[in-house]
Amino acid sequence: MRIAYVYDAVYPWETGGVQKRVWELARRLADDHDVHWYGLHYWDGPAVIEREGVTLHGVGEPETLYVDGRRSIPEALSFAARVARPLLSESFDVIDCQEFPYFPAFTSKLSAARHGATLVLTWHEVWGDYWYEYLGAKGVCGKLVERATAAVPDCHLAVSDRTRRDVASLGASDPRYLPNGISVAEVEDAPEADADVDVLFAGRLIPEKNADLLVRAMSRVRERNPDVQCTVVGEGPERDRIESLVADEGLDATVTVRDFYEEYEDVLGLMKAADALALPSEREGFGITALEAMACGTPVVTIDHPRNAATELVADGETGAVCDPTPEAVADGILAARACAPEDCVAAASEYDWDRLADRAETLYREVA
């Protein structure tokens, strides 16, 4: 099969759950298929290169993806326009376009229609009414574009059961399910960090990740166990506010905020060293950070929220804790989760190995092509 992935941010130059998913599937499928990725030109040298069997097409120079913590609409429109000519000039059996930021899906549809390809739209989240929280009154535009995008593909693919239900609510018939995953071998090979980490947060410091909730929870944890330390690893628009909150709560000796690690192996090493990973996010389309931590034998503390699909991964009391979104409940979850058995976490995460998921992706593409 000839398979094309469409997403502007290309791994490893841009890191994130979507980029990681596309890359891990693409490089495995490239062993037996002709696989291409259309994105932005992050690398030095020619616009079209081959990396681990995957042909990367840089359709234009990188632009700023986020402005004031929000995905840039001009960048999304620009990428959708720039990918048109190179994508239309090639014929594929399957085009797998990531649903957000929406506009490239319409370009992908033009190419699929021209060449008789099957367009698969991979959904990581459905925002629905969350658009009003995100943009206020202007959110109606985002909601309309999201619903219009749902009418475009031949096949809908969701990364979680929660997202699959949400996609169906947009009128999509029979959305398929293929979760995100991890490389079990890569996790096993990563050395444990030589660091004293009790509770770890690793992710972008943006409002919906709720790092402030974790800081407030650590005030309650310190009252019950003053020896428990927390390390917050991340960057983003909320960083200054989080650091100020740490100072205001008198937690300078308890909570450390540091820059994100550039090397994935180093992040895994910190997860292995930690007693628990805190993921107090109210919006996770999947929650790959939780899965990575569990594969490291580290239980996960997350919150019960309608938009948090990470709750599908964590078995409360077995591989972590699913808490109410309050500082007191998160503090209870942190102290309880540290007693979970590491082997139970590893066993649960192993079901999501990328090798298994690539086989499932191949089967699905053959079915729909």
Side-chain angles (χ1 to χ4, degrees), residues 217-226 228 330-332 334-335:
M218 287 305 302
S219 288
R220 278 67 172 180
V221 170
R222 186 182 60 174
E223 294 170 359
R224 297 160 61 180
N225 189 338
V228 177
V330 173
D332 290 342
I334 287 170
L335 295 172

Side-chain angles (χ1 to χ4, degrees), residues 17-194:
V18 181
Q19 298 93 304
K20 184 72 170 174
R21 174 191 175 93
V22 174
W23 173 245
E24 295 296 350
L25 291 178
R27 71 187 184 98
R28 286 167 172 80
L29 291 169
D31 288 341
D32 300 303
H33 304 281
D34 184 13
V35 181
H36 298 247
W37 184 344
Y38 289 83
L40 295 174
H41 187 188
Y42 286 94
W43 53 91
D44 295 329
V48 180
I49 63 171
E50 184 176 304
R51 180 170 180 262
E52 294 189 38
V54 180
T55 302
L56 302 180
H57 300 256
V59 304
E61 294 305 306
E63 299 180 19
T64 301
L65 297 178
Y66 290 88
V67 177
D68 296 330
R70 293 186 174 93
R71 199 61 149 83
S72 169
I73 295 175
E75 185 279 329
L77 288 167
S78 173
F79 174 69
R82 289 190 285 178
V83 77
R85 178 172 293 182
L87 190 58
L88 283 164
S89 67
E90 297 271 1
S91 177
F92 294 98
D93 298 298
V94 172
I95 299 174
D96 187 333
C97 180
Q98 311 310 294
E99 121 275 349
F100 195 75
Y102 304 140
F103 302 112
F106 297 91
T107 305
S108 299
K109 181 62 175 180
L110 289 175
S111 178
R114 177 174 181 177
H115 298 289
T118 295
L119 175 59
V120 175
L121 194 64
T122 297
W123 290 83
H124 298 268
E125 295 180 85
V126 174
W127 282 19
D129 289 340
Y130 175 70
W131 273 109
Y132 299 119
E133 295 182 37
Y134 193 68
L135 291 178
K138 295 179 181 178
V140 67
C141 298
K143 191 174 180 180
L144 288 173
V145 173
E146 182 177 61
R147 184 167 289 276
T149 304
V152 167
D154 303 296
C155 174
H156 294 270
L157 185 58
V159 303
S160 69
D161 275 328
R162 184 183 302 271
T163 300
R164 178 166 56 177
R165 294 192 296 270
D166 289 342
V167 172
S169 73
L170 295 176
S173 61
D174 190 29
R176 307 294 189 92
Y177 166 62
L178 183 70
N180 289 327
I182 51 155
S183 171
V184 172
E186 191 173 8
V187 173
E188 290 176 346
D189 290 343
E192 181 175 327
D194 183 16

